[in-house]
């Protein structure tokens, strides 16, 4: 993509409405624009990052055996009357009447809808287990939407729902999602710590939040050092017993501020890590809480009928964009991990209009593009300082700088955005540095 053609409305000034660094940087880097309180437009740069995050979430969900579906954003209120949550959910639910005066709502979550799909289509234990997920927009009429996409009213969530015949298998489904979450966040360059949590309005007997560590995070986190250093499982066999992995991750102390316990902290001594964090995922095991009242029953092996055991598993996909920025930025701007970066290489032409610079840049741009490396080519006729500042601000992991002096010697400068290390190399060798490497 040529920067001169990209819709990238960057801002030099810090927007006054933004209180946290990720919100400021998302506005300044032209990723988002507010439409109404807690409701955002995603511009091209933001959309590219969001799509990369979606893709990682999707790959890890699929690998864990979940199947992608799409459910409606607008739901019928009748289902929520069946589950008993229509009145309980309160003012966070955006309620709508259609032209026939029927109660509709913009879905804040989808337990009822997915349970309805299940009960209408699955009748036998032989069809189990099943896990279905979607990556879709939710609406929660939060009292105080704030911090940009971190606490929006409309936000993108990955929500998965598991159905099993008994408790043991249902726990296995929970464990599969637990491990998939560890892998998902780690692929995005994040340190995510699972913590025992309250299940709130979703309900159930067990739940874990996944908290990403970031200095500017919303909540204080206290945990055992072992969790911060723990290795995320590779090459997982999701059919195998995952309980040992779960035990390793849940046996060490980890709490947010409302639950912190001074006596345990004192015992941990030097092993205690005090940090700040952001909740990017939340998983719930709730058995028959919805399948019971909504009569999602299947025939069992012994000929009887049983209500299926369920769990639900959320990831704050749009929140993750903010969380990654909170965890990875400096004074100059965003520092994208390569796995989610909107472009991998930023190609800077220091003297647009200079025949030699233009020729070298055009050639590199087309070769990199042909080789499958995503490039943002700054071909604007701006000052070098503006180009450097913009490229730092939008956080492209690698900058390739082409200027008149270098071109005369056949040299380019390559800068790593993270850490700022730079080196000179022959222009001819630039493509080779990026091809075939993740
Ligand atoms: N039905 C369950 C799991 S599918 C559920 O709704 N869980 S949740 O309420 O915990 O939401 C899942 C994730 O969505 C949260 O961990 C958080 O990362 C994200 N999320 C929740 N509310 C918001 C919000 N207002 N803005 C942005 N992200 C949010």
């Amino acid at each position: 993509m040529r920067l001169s053609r990209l819709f990238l409305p960057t801002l030099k000034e810090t927007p006054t409405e933004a209180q946290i660094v990720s919100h400021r940087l998302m506005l300044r880097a032209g990723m988002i624009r507010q439409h109404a309180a807690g409701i955002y437009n995603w511009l091209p740069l933001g959309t590219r990052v969001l799509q990369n995050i979606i893709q990682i979430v999707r790959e890890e969900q699929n690998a864990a055996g979940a199947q992608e579906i799409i459910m409606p954003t607008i739901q019928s209120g009748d289902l929520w009357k069946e589950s008993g949550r229509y009145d309980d959910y309160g003012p966070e639910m955006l309620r709508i009447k259609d032209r026939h005066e029927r109660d509709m709502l913009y879905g804040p979550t989808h337990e009822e809808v997915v349970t309805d799909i299940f009960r209408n289509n699955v009748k036998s234990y032989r069809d189990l287990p099943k896990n279905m997920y979607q990556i879709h927009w939710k609406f929660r009429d939060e009292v105080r939407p704030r911090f940009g996409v971190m606490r929006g009213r409309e936000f993108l969530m990955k929500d998965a729902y598991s159905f099993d015949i008994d408790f043991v298998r249902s726990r296995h489904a929970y464990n599969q999602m637990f491990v998939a979450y560890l892998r998902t966040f780690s692929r995005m360059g994040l340190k995510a710590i699972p913590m025992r949590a309250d299940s709130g309005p979703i309900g159930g007997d067990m739940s874990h939040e996944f908290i990403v560590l970031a200095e500017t995070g919303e909540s204080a986190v206290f945990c055992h050092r072992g969790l911060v250093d723990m290795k995320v499982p590779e090459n997982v066999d999701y059919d195998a017993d995952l309980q040992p992995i779960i035990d390793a991750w849940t046996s060490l102390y980890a709490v947010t501020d409302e639950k912190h316990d001074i006596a345990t902290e004192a015992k941990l001594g030097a092993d205690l890590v005090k940090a700040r964090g952001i909740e990017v995922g939340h998983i719930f095991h709730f058995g028959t809480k919805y399948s019971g009242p909504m009569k999602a029953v299947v025939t069992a092996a012994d000929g009887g009928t049983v209500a299926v055991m369920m769990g639900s598993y959320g990831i704050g996909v749009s929140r993750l964009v903010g969380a990654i920025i909170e965890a990875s930025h400096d004074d100059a701007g965003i520092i994208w991990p390569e796995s989610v970066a909107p472009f991998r290489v930023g190609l800077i032409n220091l003297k647009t209009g200079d025949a030699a610079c233009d020729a070298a840049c055009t050639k590199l741009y087309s070769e990199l593009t042909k080789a499958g490396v995503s490039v943002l080519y700054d071909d604007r006729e701006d000052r070098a300082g503006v180009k450097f500042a913009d490229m730092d601000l939008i956080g492209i992991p690698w900058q390739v700088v082409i200027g008149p002096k270098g071109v005369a010697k056949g040299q380019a400068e390559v800068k790593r955005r993270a850490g700022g290390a730079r080196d000179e190399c022959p222009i001819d060798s630039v493509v080779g540095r990026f091809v075939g490497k993740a």
Side-chain angles (χ1 to χ4, degrees):
M1 171 66 77
R2 283 172 185 266
L3 215 161
S4 60
R5 294 188 195 153
L6 181 63
F7 181 52
L8 181 70
T10 55
L11 306 173
K12 276 190 202 66
E13 308 302 324
T14 297
T16 48
E17 76 266 31
Q19 298 164 27
I20 61 167
V21 67
S22 60
H23 190 193
R24 284 198 290 272
L25 287 173
M26 287 181 77
L27 291 169
R28 287 193 52 213
M31 295 176 67
I32 53 165
R33 287 293 180 265
Q34 182 173 296
H35 168 80
I39 304 177
Y40 290 88
N41 296 299
W42 289 77
L43 306 188
L45 200 77
T47 302
R48 289 180 77 100
V49 175
L50 197 58
Q51 298 290 9
N52 291 341
I53 292 174
I54 289 172
Q55 191 53 28
I56 293 175
V57 169
R58 177 177 285 139
E59 285 170 15
E60 294 300 327
Q61 289 293 296
N62 293 347
Q67 300 172 35
E68 188 164 5
I69 61 173
I70 302 173
M71 291 181 272
T73 51
I74 306 288
Q75 308 180 9
S76 152
D78 289 347
L79 283 178
W80 289 66
K81 291 173 190 161
E82 271 190 65
S83 75
R85 281 207 293 183
Y86 191 69
D87 294 326
D88 293 354
Y89 213 91
E92 273 200 11
M93 184 192 276
L94 181 65
R95 295 155 206 260
I96 307 162
K97 283 229 191 273
D98 71 7
R99 69 202 298 163
H100 307 292
E101 290 290 305
R102 278 189 287 251
D103 291 326
M104 310 295 285
L105 55 102
Y106 195 116
T109 176
H110 280 67
E111 279 82 4
E112 282 79 359
V113 177
V114 80
T115 304
D116 185 51
I117 298 175
F118 185 90
R119 70 177 173 185
N120 294 335
N121 296 285
V122 179
K123 304 290 176 207
S124 161
Y125 72 95
R126 286 195 199 87
D127 297 322
L128 299 176
K130 286 284 173 288
N131 185 333
M132 291 181 282
Y133 76 97
Q134 65 171 352
I135 299 171
H136 217 197
W137 296 92
K138 303 277 190 263
F139 195 93
R140 293 183 185 173
D141 206 351
E142 304 265 353
V143 201
R144 260 186 9 110
R146 58 196 171 133
F147 305 149
V149 300
M150 300 279 258
R151 184 165 301 282
R153 291 199 295 167
E154 190 182 49
F155 60 97
L156 191 61
M157 194 198 283
K158 184 285 298 181
D159 44 324
Y161 304 87
S162 65
F163 301 87
D164 285 273
I165 191 70
D166 59 29
F167 181 81
V168 172
R169 277 170 260 216
S170 186
R171 274 301 299 273
H172 181 62
Y174 186 91
N175 291 352
Q176 287 176 320
M177 287 293 111
F178 191 114
V179 173
Y181 277 34
L182 293 174
R183 291 179 45 81
T184 302
F185 301 130
S186 144
R187 279 185 64 185
M188 297 172 192
L190 298 170
K191 266 252 147 8
I193 312 275
M195 296 190 189
R196 222 24 228 243
D198 299 327
S199 49
I202 310 291
D205 61 349
M206 187 169 59
S207 113
H208 285 92
E209 287 172 353
F210 287 75
I211 311 277
V212 155
L213 299 186
E215 269 170 40
T216 46
E218 246 193 295
S219 36
V221 169
F222 304 83
C223 71
H224 190 289
R225 185 169 307 282
L227 277 171
V228 181
D229 300 332
M230 198 164 305
K231 279 246 164 326
V232 168
E234 285 169 34
N235 307 319
V236 181
D237 170 6
Y238 280 101
D239 292 329
D241 181 12
L242 303 171
Q243 198 58 46
I245 302 177
I246 311 302
D247 290 344
W249 281 88
T250 52
S251 58
L252 295 175
Y253 183 73
V255 289
T256 50
D257 44 1
E258 60 276 10
K259 287 196 207 132
H260 90 280
D261 159 11
I262 304 202
T264 316
E265 280 175 29
K267 256 189 264 160
L268 285 178
D271 283 332
L272 179 71
V273 173
K274 287 188 194 179
R276 301 200 66 83
I278 302 158
E279 181 202 318
V280 291
H282 200 159
I283 59 178
F284 305 83
H285 184 264
F286 46 70
T288 56
K289 174 171 164 143
Y290 300 91
S291 57
M294 292 184 67
K295 301 190 179 55
V297 295
V298 294
T299 56
D302 64 8
T305 55
V306 287
V308 287
M309 304 286 282
M310 292 175 58
S312 75
Y313 315 92
I315 290 183
V317 176
S318 47
R319 175 179 288 185
L320 268 168
V321 181
I324 293 169
I325 298 173
E326 292 291 332
S328 185
H329 67 271
D330 62 15
D331 289 345
I334 304 167
I335 305 173
W336 291 116
E338 292 206 28
S339 58
V340 302
F343 298 91
R344 189 149 162 247
V345 173
L347 175 60
I348 299 178
N349 186 343
L350 285 184
K351 202 163 183 198
T352 303
D354 175 277
C357 287
D358 290 354
C361 285
T362 314
K363 184 160 178 272
L364 251 188
Y365 175 53
S366 91
E367 285 172 0
L368 283 165
T369 307
K370 263 197 213 116
V373 179
S374 63
V375 189
L376 180 61
Y377 170 25
D378 193 346
D379 59 341
R380 298 173 301 175
E381 287 179 6
D382 272 307
R383 284 182 296 114
V386 171
K387 296 188 176 190
F388 287 132
D390 276 350
M391 211 51 99
D392 278 353
L393 171 65
I394 66 178
I396 310 301
W398 296 96
Q399 297 175 9
V400 175
V401 184
I402 303 281
K405 278 191 212 138
V407 164
K409 298 182 287 176
Q411 295 284 106
E413 187 181 68
V414 177
K415 177 181 137 182
R416 180 103 177 89
R417 176 67 180 86
R422 29 177 113 224
D423 64 276
E424 280 212 350
C425 68
I427 297 179
D428 296 345
S429 71
V430 169
V431 177
R433 284 176 70 147
F434 297 107
V435 175
K437 293 178 197 122

